[in-house]
Structure formats: structure tokens, C-alpha cells
Amino acid sequence: MNITWQAENYKDNFSFVHQYGEDVLDLITGDTSQFVVDLGCGNGALTHKLSERGFRVLGIDDSSEMLALAKRQYSELSFLQGNALNFQLEEKADVIFSNAVFHWIDADRQEEMLRNLFCQLKPGGQLVCEFGGKGCAELVHSTLEELFSARDFSYLRAFYFPSIGEYTSLMESCGFKVTYAILFDRPTPQKNENGLEEWIRMFDKKPFEGMSESTVKEILTEASEKLRPVLFREGRWFIDYVRIRIRAVRK
């Protein structure tokens, strides 16, 4: 996964990630006797919501910082450190649920991930997920790309944002039957007045690695000035999210 998390900051200032993810839970079909894996569970908030619905749950995340927070907050639940590409389950899952995770996996590793998820599901098991889709935060990324280029820097896009056609075709080639898929705009409000800078520092760190703090601050200030007319309204920043939401079944 292309990020190292600041777990407490994430919990305090970016709770919208799991709050929006609650809607995705409704795509899970079947009774509550099912065993559900929350892949990329983060701080465990959605693992807890799944448990409240009556499911047997296991939260899996690759971040030790996030898992430590999850275990502190929800000590009654089970959590496991594991990577989406190669985690293994002793008991195959009825459902693998994942919110805001797949876009962190490199494009050339997506097939590897999907084939592993296929193997960790029971036949007929469900994969229910939401992640960034084509065009997600494009105003932010294109502006940063422009500012990097003006300084002869290369802006690394560390995200994978596919279209519905691209991703459902890949899923089908890995043995899944896609039963629901939607791509939609979701402008996402940030908590603080300097929310754009905070969002970039939390979610878009990789392009700035090795850069001096003074240069980082200069770029972020210019980005805020350029984007304020289009992304700042009602006293706060809105990031131009685009989401893809899918339900698929292991054939």
C-alpha cells in the first residue's frame, strides 16, 4: 500500500472515510450468520459497524499503527495484520468488504490482489467494495502536477483510479461475476479551514518525499490559492472525490 498512516490524525480529522463507507455495508446480501472480512479495516470503525449488524467479523490491515488503534477502540473484535495481495484465512470468508483501499494498490498489482481475494472467498461469496474511481481528486492532482512541473519536479501519481469498464472487466477475468457497479461524484467536505493542505499532507505524501519543508509549504500555499475559487465554499474545502462502488460474487 502506497502510504504510511498517522493513525490518530486520521481518526480525529478524516472520519468522513468510514462515515461515507457505512452506505456500502448495505450492498452485502444474505443473513447475519455470515463471516465477513473487513479488508483495510483501518481504525476498525466499519468492522464495528459490521459487528453491530450481527456478522462474525475479522478486520485486516497492513498498518500496525492503524491496527493498534483499532484494537484499543474495539478490544472485543478480532484483528489481523495482513496485506491485500497475500493475506490468508484459516476459514474462507462469506464476504470480503473493503472501503477506500483498492486505489492504494498499484495498477500492476490489482490482478494479483483480486486473485487472492477470489481464493479467500467461499464459492458464491461476495466481494463488496468502494474506492476512488476515474477522475477522483483530479482538480487537486492536476494543479499539483502543474506546480511541480513549474519547478522541474516530477509529480508522482501514486493512486489507481479506474473506470467501471476497466475494473469490472478485470474482476471478470479473475473469476468474479459483477452484479452491481456505479461511478459517482462525491464532493467531500474537509473538517478545517486549511482542509486542502491537511488532506494533501495526509493522503498525497509520496510526491513530496525528499522535498524541503519550505518548498512543500510554498507549493501547498500556491495550490490553495489556485483551487480556492473552485473547491472552497461555505467556509470549508471540498475535495472533488469520484467513487466506484461494486458488488461481485465468486463464481
Side-chain angles (χ1 to χ4, degrees):
M1 186 172 281
N2 295 320
I3 193 167
T4 300
W5 295 106
Q6 299 166 338
E8 289 292 343
N9 184 16
Y10 182 95
K11 175 177 72 74
D12 292 341
N13 294 314
F14 300 96
S15 58
F16 66 82
V17 176
H18 65 77
Q19 289 168 352
Y20 280 111
E22 290 184 34
D23 289 344
V24 193
L25 302 179
D26 295 333
L27 290 180
I28 298 174
T29 62
D31 61 49
T32 57
S33 67
Q34 296 179 102
F35 172 43
V36 181
V37 170
D38 181 6
L39 180 61
C41 64
N43 62 16
L46 290 177
T47 320
H48 178 61
K49 291 292 183 182
L50 286 162
S51 177
E52 286 186 325
R53 293 188 179 207
F55 296 112
R56 291 190 297 123
V57 296
L58 171 67
I60 296 179
D61 205 282
D62 199 33
S63 167
S64 57
E65 293 84 3
M66 283 293 196
L67 283 178
L69 182 57
K71 290 175 181 178
R72 287 200 305 272
Q73 294 185 128
Y74 308 108
S75 58
E76 75 282 8
L77 301 180
S78 297
F79 296 97
L80 175 71
Q81 186 164 12
N83 189 292
L85 301 175
N86 53 31
F87 75 94
Q88 299 289 303
L89 298 173
E90 293 183 6
E91 176 190 355
K92 301 304 182 186
D94 295 294
V95 181
I96 294 177
F97 169 83
S98 187
N99 178 61
V101 173
F102 289 6
H103 53 248
W104 295 108
I105 308 296
D106 290 338
D108 61 359
R109 308 297 297 274
Q110 290 286 328
E111 181 176 349
E112 180 183 354
M113 179 192 71
L114 287 172
R115 293 196 180 279
N116 186 49
L117 301 189
F118 181 91
C119 291
Q120 303 313 312
L121 280 169
K122 296 175 183 176
Q126 305 168 64
L127 173 58
V128 172
C129 55
E130 181 181 299
F131 54 101
K134 189 173 180 66
C136 188
E138 182 57 30
L139 287 172
V140 178
H141 294 305
S142 59
T143 297
L144 290 173
E145 195 167 45
E146 175 187 328
L147 295 174
F148 272 56
S149 179
R151 293 165 171 81
D152 293 324
F153 296 152
S154 178
Y155 180 71
L156 174 65
R157 294 193 178 220
F159 306 94
Y160 172 63
F161 295 139
S163 67
I164 283 181
E166 178 184 353
Y167 209 74
T168 55
S169 295
L170 180 60
M171 295 183 84
E172 288 170 350
S173 73
C174 293
F176 288 98
K177 177 184 178 181
V178 178
T179 60
Y180 176 86
I182 186 172
L183 183 78
F184 59 98
D185 293 333
R186 196 197 71 202
T188 302
Q190 302 303 296
K191 191 171 182 179
N192 301 316
E193 289 186 8
N194 58 338
L196 176 65
E197 178 176 337
E198 291 184 356
W199 184 90
I200 292 170
R201 287 186 182 273
M202 172 58 73
F203 295 109
D204 198 20
K205 304 172 186 176
K206 212 164 187 67
F208 295 90
E209 288 180 354
M211 193 179 292
S212 70
E213 176 57 26
S214 61
T215 303
V216 172
K217 188 64 179 176
E218 181 181 284
I219 291 173
L220 294 180
T221 298
E222 288 188 33
S224 296
E225 291 171 355
K226 286 179 174 290
L227 289 168
R228 182 172 289 272
V230 288
L231 294 183
F232 189 84
R233 56 186 183 273
E234 302 167 7
R236 56 182 175 171
W237 289 93
F238 287 75
I239 307 299
D240 54 323
Y241 273 32
V242 178
R243 309 311 275 176
I244 188 168
R245 189 175 287 183
I246 296 174
R247 179 185 181 272
V249 177
R250 172 179 168 164
K251 292 180 182 178

